[in-house]
């Protein structure tokens, strides 16, 4: 059986929903030459539609807080899809 995986689920470490967007976070840990580490988040914003909301609820309907929440990080980038 083929299972469709929406873009907001591909390679995601965290997915959560706000009033207007479904946001995918891809997290990485970066270490510089001095040994200092930062947590970096690449954030991908998907404008909410009825179709995307149904997919989100299919994947995360069993959460106690269905919308989830953001994981905190040191640095980030934003991309609107």
């Amino acid at each position: 059986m083929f299972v469709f995986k929406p873009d907001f689920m591909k390679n995601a470490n965290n997915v959560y929903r706000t009033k207007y967007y479904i946001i995918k976070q891809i997290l990485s840990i970066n270490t510089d030459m001095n040994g200092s580490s930062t947590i970096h988040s690449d954030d991908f914003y998907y404008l909410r539609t009825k179709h995307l909301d149904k997919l989100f609820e299919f994947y995360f309907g069993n959460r106690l807080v269905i919308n989830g929440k953001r994981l905190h990080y040191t640095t980030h980038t934003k991309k609107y899809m």
Side-chain angles (χ1 to χ4, degrees), residues 10-75:
K10 294 178 182 171
N11 301 318
N13 296 108
N14 183 40
V15 179
Y16 65 98
R17 184 166 65 174
T18 64
K19 186 174 181 179
Y20 298 109
Y21 295 99
I22 293 173
I23 302 156
K24 168 175 73 172
Q25 285 184 288
I26 299 175
L27 303 170
S28 60
I29 298 174
N30 302 317
T31 305
D32 66 16
M33 294 172 63
N34 297 325
S36 297
S37 297
T38 59
I39 300 172
H40 181 79
S41 177
D42 288 313
D43 300 343
F44 297 85
Y45 286 70
Y46 297 86
L47 190 61
R48 284 178 66 172
T49 63
K50 289 181 182 181
H51 177 69
L52 287 181
D53 275 347
K54 285 182 183 179
L55 290 171
F56 184 92
E57 289 167 10
F58 172 78
Y59 280 96
F60 301 111
N62 61 347
R63 284 180 173 174
L64 291 176
V65 178
I66 191 168
N67 289 331
K69 56 192 269 194
R70 179 168 204 74
L71 295 175
H72 296 284
Y73 48 82
T74 311
T75 62

